[in-house]
PDB file of all heavy atoms in Angstrom:
ATOM      1  N   LYS B 102    -114.692  30.014  86.198  1.00  0.00           N
ATOM      2  CA  LYS B 102    -114.453  29.532  84.872  1.00  0.00           C
ATOM      3  C   LYS B 102    -114.939  30.616  83.903  1.00  0.00           C
ATOM      4  O   LYS B 102    -116.096  31.013  83.829  1.00  0.00           O
ATOM      5  CB  LYS B 102    -115.403  28.289  84.648  1.00  0.00           C
ATOM      6  CG  LYS B 102    -114.940  27.363  83.546  1.00  0.00           C
ATOM      7  CD  LYS B 102    -115.675  26.051  83.641  1.00  0.00           C
ATOM      8  CE  LYS B 102    -115.274  25.030  82.611  1.00  0.00           C
ATOM      9  NZ  LYS B 102    -116.047  23.852  82.670  1.00  0.00           N
ATOM     10  N   LEU B 103    -113.932  31.130  83.212  1.00  0.00           N
ATOM     11  CA  LEU B 103    -114.181  32.232  82.307  1.00  0.00           C
ATOM     12  C   LEU B 103    -114.435  31.700  80.927  1.00  0.00           C
ATOM     13  O   LEU B 103    -113.502  31.038  80.333  1.00  0.00           O
ATOM     14  CB  LEU B 103    -112.974  33.184  82.309  1.00  0.00           C
ATOM     15  CG  LEU B 103    -113.062  34.451  81.486  1.00  0.00           C
ATOM     16  CD1 LEU B 103    -114.112  35.312  81.984  1.00  0.00           C
ATOM     17  CD2 LEU B 103    -111.730  35.163  81.527  1.00  0.00           C
ATOM     18  N   HIS B 104    -115.566  31.991  80.308  1.00  0.00           N
ATOM     19  CA  HIS B 104    -115.834  31.521  78.978  1.00  0.00           C
ATOM     20  C   HIS B 104    -115.618  32.624  77.998  1.00  0.00           C
ATOM     21  O   HIS B 104    -116.188  33.737  78.186  1.00  0.00           O
ATOM     22  CB  HIS B 104    -117.378  31.071  78.906  1.00  0.00           C
ATOM     23  CG  HIS B 104    -117.694  29.869  79.673  1.00  0.00           C
ATOM     24  ND1 HIS B 104    -117.522  28.559  79.203  1.00  0.00           N
ATOM     25  CD2 HIS B 104    -118.136  29.723  80.940  1.00  0.00           C
ATOM     26  CE1 HIS B 104    -117.860  27.711  80.137  1.00  0.00           C
ATOM     27  NE2 HIS B 104    -118.220  28.379  81.218  1.00  0.00           N
ATOM     28  N   LEU B 105    -114.803  32.294  77.047  1.00  0.00           N
ATOM     29  CA  LEU B 105    -114.520  33.353  76.044  1.00  0.00           C
ATOM     30  C   LEU B 105    -114.800  32.828  74.644  1.00  0.00           C
ATOM     31  O   LEU B 105    -114.729  31.698  74.398  1.00  0.00           O
ATOM     32  CB  LEU B 105    -113.017  33.770  76.070  1.00  0.00           C
ATOM     33  CG  LEU B 105    -112.478  34.370  77.356  1.00  0.00           C
ATOM     34  CD1 LEU B 105    -111.007  34.565  77.284  1.00  0.00           C
ATOM     35  CD2 LEU B 105    -113.161  35.713  77.683  1.00  0.00           C
ATOM     36  N   ASN B 106    -115.143  33.767  73.694  1.00  0.00           N
ATOM     37  CA  ASN B 106    -115.327  33.396  72.320  1.00  0.00           C
ATOM     38  C   ASN B 106    -114.198  33.876  71.511  1.00  0.00           C
ATOM     39  O   ASN B 106    -113.812  35.069  71.599  1.00  0.00           O
ATOM     40  CB  ASN B 106    -116.581  34.155  71.768  1.00  0.00           C
ATOM     41  CG  ASN B 106    -117.845  33.502  72.338  1.00  0.00           C
ATOM     42  OD1 ASN B 106    -117.868  32.367  72.643  1.00  0.00           O
ATOM     43  ND2 ASN B 106    -118.884  34.327  72.425  1.00  0.00           N
ATOM     44  N   GLN B 107    -113.609  33.061  70.651  1.00  0.00           N
ATOM     45  CA  GLN B 107    -112.601  33.510  69.711  1.00  0.00           C
ATOM     46  C   GLN B 107    -112.951  32.983  68.373  1.00  0.00           C
ATOM     47  O   GLN B 107    -112.819  31.755  68.169  1.00  0.00           O
ATOM     48  CB  GLN B 107    -111.221  33.120  70.201  1.00  0.00           C
ATOM     49  CG  GLN B 107    -110.193  33.309  69.124  1.00  0.00           C
ATOM     50  CD  GLN B 107    -109.124  34.362  69.489  1.00  0.00           C
ATOM     51  OE1 GLN B 107    -108.686  34.329  70.612  1.00  0.00           O
ATOM     52  NE2 GLN B 107    -108.829  35.186  68.586  1.00  0.00           N
ATOM     53  N   ASN B 108    -113.328  33.834  67.424  1.00  0.00           N
ATOM     54  CA  ASN B 108    -113.653  33.386  66.081  1.00  0.00           C
ATOM     55  C   ASN B 108    -114.481  32.103  66.031  1.00  0.00           C
ATOM     56  O   ASN B 108    -114.137  31.119  65.445  1.00  0.00           O
ATOM     57  CB  ASN B 108    -112.353  33.052  65.339  1.00  0.00           C
ATOM     58  CG  ASN B 108    -111.433  34.272  65.354  1.00  0.00           C
ATOM     59  OD1 ASN B 108    -111.897  35.408  65.344  1.00  0.00           O
ATOM     60  ND2 ASN B 108    -110.166  34.003  65.221  1.00  0.00           N
ATOM     61  N   GLU B 109    -115.569  32.162  66.777  1.00  0.00           N
ATOM     62  CA  GLU B 109    -116.522  31.027  66.741  1.00  0.00           C
ATOM     63  C   GLU B 109    -116.099  29.874  67.578  1.00  0.00           C
ATOM     64  O   GLU B 109    -116.819  28.876  67.638  1.00  0.00           O
ATOM     65  CB  GLU B 109    -116.835  30.546  65.301  1.00  0.00           C
ATOM     66  CG  GLU B 109    -117.778  31.368  64.598  1.00  0.00           C
ATOM     67  CD  GLU B 109    -117.325  31.695  63.150  1.00  0.00           C
ATOM     68  OE1 GLU B 109    -116.586  30.863  62.651  1.00  0.00           O
ATOM     69  OE2 GLU B 109    -117.727  32.737  62.681  1.00  0.00           O
ATOM     70  N   ASP B 110    -114.962  29.838  68.165  1.00  0.00           N
ATOM     71  CA  ASP B 110    -114.581  28.762  69.126  1.00  0.00           C
ATOM     72  C   ASP B 110    -114.823  29.281  70.546  1.00  0.00           C
ATOM     73  O   ASP B 110    -114.543  30.436  70.769  1.00  0.00           O
ATOM     74  CB  ASP B 110    -113.137  28.369  69.097  1.00  0.00           C
ATOM     75  CG  ASP B 110    -112.689  27.890  67.716  1.00  0.00           C
ATOM     76  OD1 ASP B 110    -113.452  27.186  67.084  1.00  0.00           O
ATOM     77  OD2 ASP B 110    -111.615  28.335  67.286  1.00  0.00           O
ATOM     78  N   GLN B 111    -115.372  28.431  71.366  1.00  0.00           N
ATOM     79  CA  GLN B 111    -115.578  28.851  72.818  1.00  0.00           C
ATOM     80  C   GLN B 111    -114.430  28.278  73.587  1.00  0.00           C
ATOM     81  O   GLN B 111    -114.223  27.057  73.447  1.00  0.00           O
ATOM     82  CB  GLN B 111    -116.891  28.433  73.272  1.00  0.00           C
ATOM     83  CG  GLN B 111    -117.845  29.612  73.423  1.00  0.00           C
ATOM     84  CD  GLN B 111    -118.838  29.380  74.477  1.00  0.00           C
ATOM     85  OE1 GLN B 111    -118.642  28.790  75.533  1.00  0.00           O
ATOM     86  NE2 GLN B 111    -120.082  29.804  74.187  1.00  0.00           N
ATOM     87  N   THR B 112    -113.717  29.062  74.309  1.00  0.00           N
ATOM     88  CA  THR B 112    -112.702  28.486  75.230  1.00  0.00           C
ATOM     89  C   THR B 112    -113.209  28.722  76.690  1.00  0.00           C
ATOM     90  O   THR B 112    -113.882  29.759  76.993  1.00  0.00           O
ATOM     91  CB  THR B 112    -111.323  29.118  75.054  1.00  0.00           C
ATOM     92  OG1 THR B 112    -111.438  30.485  75.332  1.00  0.00           O
ATOM     93  CG2 THR B 112    -110.823  28.935  73.685  1.00  0.00           C
ATOM     94  N   ALA B 113    -112.734  27.852  77.559  1.00  0.00           N
ATOM     95  CA  ALA B 113    -113.106  28.065  78.996  1.00  0.00           C
ATOM     96  C   ALA B 113    -111.807  27.967  79.765  1.00  0.00           C
ATOM     97  O   ALA B 113    -110.925  27.088  79.539  1.00  0.00           O
ATOM     98  CB  ALA B 113    -114.015  26.963  79.450  1.00  0.00           C
ATOM     99  N   GLN B 114    -111.523  28.915  80.608  1.00  0.00           N
ATOM    100  CA  GLN B 114    -110.350  28.910  81.401  1.00  0.00           C
ATOM    101  C   GLN B 114    -110.670  28.921  82.878  1.00  0.00           C
ATOM    102  O   GLN B 114    -111.512  29.741  83.350  1.00  0.00           O
ATOM    103  CB  GLN B 114    -109.527  30.191  81.081  1.00  0.00           C
ATOM    104  CG  GLN B 114    -108.248  30.261  81.696  1.00  0.00           C
ATOM    105  CD  GLN B 114    -107.125  30.739  80.735  1.00  0.00           C
ATOM    106  OE1 GLN B 114    -107.433  31.527  79.878  1.00  0.00           O
ATOM    107  NE2 GLN B 114    -105.932  30.217  80.803  1.00  0.00           N
TER     108      GLN B 114
END
Side-chain angles (χ1 to χ4, degrees):
Chain B
K102 203 165 181 187
L103 182 64
H104 294 273
L105 299 175
N106 287 331
Q107 169 116 42
N108 303 333
E109 281 132 28
D110 301 317
Q111 252 205 40
T112 61
Q114 186 137 34

